């Protein structure tokens, strides 16, 4: 909101009123202060000054003592995202934010261009099942992708399942689909409003009718069919009001027989002694073995086998150390094939005899490059490698003999890949920063790829270039970074630049076409993406180098990327914006608090920003292997406190900041962003805006309908471009 100087004088009066309310009930104090703040917002709406006055966020007196050290948490009340007081705070903050955004002169023109850039027809990689092809398609304007069935790839497409019909506003999204063995039934999971909570339904593919079977409180689950029903993972129903924030505990594997009451589904696997462990089940293609994976963090798992066709099924354990990753690939010729990084930080493929699961035979040994994908197709084992964050594919025999490389169109990544051991054709979509998603069919027998569908994106790759560079981090480690921009730019240090990063949980940054970046590039912007430690670009050692007591490496890598861009003349601190989401939101929060002088704009999205309490909400406990926890040890507590974005805000001139979160985010709960934004608004002594945008009926990001995603991207880039001093002109 914009206010004049006279109105600022009134702030002292209403702040005094709030101070006097400390003798009243906390909730009444908060509500009253927010009512006054809302009145000030309305009074300021007609002002012409450009100074923003934020609603004063009332403080509580909450203090935690951790290993003998007192840590204040004055905005703890904002963790209750279902309270009326929090709702009023959200409303007041959003009013200010949207008022600011509405005054950006090119915002609506950018929205139109953003929609046009994303609005082209697409078909994802198809897959074959029982003699038919299936593929997700979007006509370019639909909120959610539609599942089609085809008798042949060039035949007529028929709609099998359209999630756009499941809600009026497109906020119901498909999160998983699995066909029964004979293809008669399709079990599909939906997520509402972006939540991680799923519901499973069953579609009769012959009649088109949805069966009465309806399963709730499913989360982080596969769907594994046998002849009569399917296995799935679910949690107990949470207490009312705690659905979006309570820690997820006691997940179990259930079996549902079609037609039965889901409330009576049989428990197949549980681990009552370890209630925080998650469990997921899949099944071999022949339906012989149920493969059960348990995790207690994001690194390492246990793996168990259950011979479900045996008259007396007995569980066998493949691994239970929770130190290494064991991922089931398929069962071929009696062997179970697995990916693992056990004694192979960059990964290897092994196989086991289910009768003797303790004996692992290496099929594809570890190499200099990290394995990042694996599947069987056309009688071959297809293995993908991460080479400086770009994909390469190779074909092997099931016994591990390397046959040849599968030639890809260039430097980039595979968005989806689909194949089957008994089918000769493999389908994949390839993309890069300047190569819109393009669908190919690969013939496994002839080692040849052919184009299936080109991209209709409104983008001319010939006008742009994307280059891989390496730069030294603070400790000298060489970090890869992709830099994309128009051809012929001048390295005069004046180019508006956006630097993006993630750096965690073994997630690799890959060269991919990002439609929301296109308008920024068109207007002369530079887009840079750094492949930070903590990811999987170079295997598990690269990942571990950015975890726990080495997490500062990730922030140093990112800060060094900014310094490289400045030093090489791409940009300067007044023209540099930074962006990241989730763990990347933590990255932005940490870097803007450590080096506020280095950036002009900061865009932390759905970020993990309170490092002392993140593990107390939903699935946050599982992130401890990357972060450690404040309760783990005095040393870990002090380390987390040393970089936790929320706890390291101080009086300073911060970059123009737009904090982004959503009201249904049950992965990284919005309380992180709420508390960070309130503290930042208090700490910022400069003139740059410090706003928070709180999306409604949206979650951590997955399944967001197209119209909401366009609004979201428009607000990010209009804020970025405006505060970098850009004056874009869109035709």
């Amino acid at each position: 909101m914009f206010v004049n100087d006279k109105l600022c004088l009134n702030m002292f009066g209403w702040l005094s009123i709030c101070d006097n309310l400390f003798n009243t009930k906390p909730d009444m104090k908060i509500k009253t202060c927010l009512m006054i703040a809302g009145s000030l917002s309305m009074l300021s709406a007609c002002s012409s000054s450009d100074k923003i006055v934020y609603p004063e966020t009332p403080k509580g007196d909450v203090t935690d003592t951790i290993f003998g050290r007192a840590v204040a948490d004055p905005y703890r009340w904002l963790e209750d995202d279902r309270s009326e007081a929090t709702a009023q705070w959200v409303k007041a903050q959003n009013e200010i934010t949207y008022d600011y955004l509405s005054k950006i002169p090119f915002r609506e023109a950018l929205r139109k261009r953003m929609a046009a850039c994303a609005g082209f027809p697409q078909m994802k990689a198809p897959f074959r099942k029982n003699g038919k092809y299936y593929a997700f398609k979007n006509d370019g304007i639909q909120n959610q992708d539609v599942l089609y069935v085809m008798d042949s790839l060039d035949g007529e497409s028929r709609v099998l399942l359209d999630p756009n019909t499941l809600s009026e506003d497109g906020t119901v999204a498909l999160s998983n689909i699995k066909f029964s063995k004979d293809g008669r039934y399709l079990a599909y999971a939906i997520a509402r409003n972006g939540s991680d909570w799923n519901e499973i339904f069953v579609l009769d593919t012959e009649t088109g009718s949805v069966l009465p079977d309806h399963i709730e409180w499913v989360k982080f689950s596969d769907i594994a069919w046998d002849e009569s029903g399917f296995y799935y993972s679910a949690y107990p129903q949470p207490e009312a009001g705690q659905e979006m924030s309570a820690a997820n505990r006691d997940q179990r594997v259930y079996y549902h027989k079609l037609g039965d009451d889901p409330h009576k589904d049989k428990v197949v696997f549980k681990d009552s002694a370890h209630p925080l462990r998650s469990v997921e089940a899949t099944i071999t293609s022949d339906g012989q073995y149920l493969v059960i994976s348990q995790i207690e963090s994001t690194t390492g798992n246990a793996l168990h086998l259950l011979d479900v066709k045996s008259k007396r099924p007995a569980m066998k354990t493949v691994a239970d150390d929770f130190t290494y990753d064991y991922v089931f690939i398929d069962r071929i010729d009696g062997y179970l094939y697995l990916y693992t990084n056990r004694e192979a930080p960059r990964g290897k493929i092994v196989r086991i005899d289910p009768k003797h699961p303790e004996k692992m035979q290496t099929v594809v040994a570890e190499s200099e490059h990290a394995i990042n994908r694996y599947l069987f197709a056309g009688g071959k084992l297809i293995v993908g490698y991460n080479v400086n964050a770009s994909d390469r594919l190779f074909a092997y025999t099931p016994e591990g003999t390397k046959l040849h490389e599968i030639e890809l169109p260039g430097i980039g990544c595979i968005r989806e890949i689909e194949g089957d051991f008994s089918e000769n054709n493999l389908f994949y979509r390839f993309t890069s920063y300047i190569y819109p998603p393009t669908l190919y069919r690969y013939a496994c027998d002839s080692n040849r790829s052919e184009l299936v569908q080109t991209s209709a994106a409104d983008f001319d790759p010939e006008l742009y270039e994307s280059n891989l560079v390496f730069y030294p981090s603070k400790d000298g480690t060489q970090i890869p970074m992709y830099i994309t921009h128009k051809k012929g730019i001048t390295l005069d240090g004046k180019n508006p630049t956006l630097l993006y990063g993630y750096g965690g949980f073994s997630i690799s940054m890959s060269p991919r076409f990002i439609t929301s970046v296109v308008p920024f590039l068109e207007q002369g912007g530079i887009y840079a993406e750094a492949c930070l430690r903590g990811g999987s670009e170079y295997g598990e050692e690269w990942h571990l180098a950015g975890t726990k007591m080495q997490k500062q490496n990730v922030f140093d890598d990112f800060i060094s990327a900014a310094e490289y861009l400045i030093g090489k003349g791409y940009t300067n601190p007044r023209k540099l914006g930074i962006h990241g989401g989730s763990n990347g939101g933590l990255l932005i929060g940490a870097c803007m608090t450590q080096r506020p002088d280095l950036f002009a704009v900061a865009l932390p999205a759905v970020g993990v920003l309170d490092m002392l309490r993140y593990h107390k909400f939903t699935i946050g406990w599982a992130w401890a292997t990357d972060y450690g926890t404040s309760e783990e040890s005095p040393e870990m507590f002090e380390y987390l406190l040393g970089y936790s974005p929320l706890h390291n805000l101080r009086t300073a001139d911060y970059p123009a900041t737009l904090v982004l979160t959503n009201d249904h985010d049950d992965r990284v709960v919005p309380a992180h962003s709420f508390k960070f934004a309130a503290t930042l608004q208090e700490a910022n002594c400069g003139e740059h805006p410090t706003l928070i945008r709180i999306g409604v009926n949206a979650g951590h990001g997955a399944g967001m309908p197209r119209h909401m995603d366009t609004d979201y991207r428009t607000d990010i880039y209009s804020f970025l471009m405006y505060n970098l001093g850009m004056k874009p002109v869109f035709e």
Side-chain angles (χ1 to χ4, degrees), residues 178-209:
K178 285 294 174 65
F179 285 92
S180 61
K181 300 296 181 182
D182 59 4
R184 171 68 186 271
Y185 300 105
L186 173 66
Y188 63 93
I190 65 167
R192 302 182 189 275
N193 301 314
S195 170
D196 281 337
W197 288 117
N198 284 191
E199 302 168 50
I200 297 177
F201 296 87
V202 180
L203 175 73
D204 185 326
T205 63
E206 292 187 3
T207 67
S209 61

Side-chain angles (χ1 to χ4, degrees), residues 244-292:
M244 306 302 290
S245 58
N248 300 143
R249 301 170 60 92
D250 299 308
Q251 190 179 31
R252 300 174 180 181
V253 174
Y254 294 86
Y255 178 75
H256 176 71
K257 185 177 181 180
L258 285 186
D260 284 359
D261 180 357
H263 294 96
K264 298 179 181 179
D265 284 352
K266 177 184 176 182
V267 175
V268 177
F269 184 90
K270 65 179 180 178
D271 188 351
S272 300
H274 303 94
L276 288 181
R277 287 178 179 171
S278 293
V279 59
E280 184 178 54
T282 188
I283 200 164
T284 56
S285 53
D286 58 5
Q288 183 76 42
Y289 289 94
L290 190 68
V291 183
I292 297 174

Side-chain angles (χ1 to χ4, degrees), residues 662-674:
N662 296 306
D663 65 350
H664 278 69
D665 190 346
D666 52 354
R667 184 86 56 86
V668 179
V669 294
H672 285 273
S673 295
F674 292 175

Side-chain angles (χ1 to χ4, degrees), residues 509-557:
M509 294 292 96
S510 300
R512 65 211 178 280
F513 189 67
I514 310 170
T515 59
S516 58
V517 173
V518 172
F520 183 66
L521 295 175
E522 290 175 336
Q523 300 297 320
I526 295 173
Y527 180 76
E529 199 161 279
C531 304
L532 315 171
R533 281 175 284 186
S536 62
E537 286 83 353
Y538 300 104
E540 184 61 8
E541 292 174 345
W542 189 259
H543 166 229
L544 293 176
T547 62
K548 299 190 85 169
M549 301 288 276
Q550 299 187 91
K551 188 65 178 177
Q552 184 60 41
N553 285 337
V554 183
F555 313 140
D556 291 342
D557 292 352

Side-chain angles (χ1 to χ4, degrees), residues 27 206 216 242 278 291 341 349 390 449 546 550 569 588 652 715:
D27 195 52
E206 292 187 3
E216 298 181 283
Q242 299 297 312
S278 293
V291 183
N341 55 14
I349 307 298
S390 181
S449 289
Q550 299 187 91
I588 303 307
D715 289 345

Side-chain angles (χ1 to χ4, degrees), residues 649-686:
L649 287 166
R650 60 192 185 280
T651 301
D653 184 0
Y654 286 101
T657 304
L658 181 62
V659 181
L660 300 131
T661 189
N662 296 306
D663 65 350
H664 278 69
D665 190 346
D666 52 354
R667 184 86 56 86
V668 179
V669 294
H672 285 273
S673 295
F674 292 175
K675 296 199 293 185
F676 183 78
T679 307
L680 177 63
Q681 288 174 355
E682 179 185 23
N684 185 34
C685 66

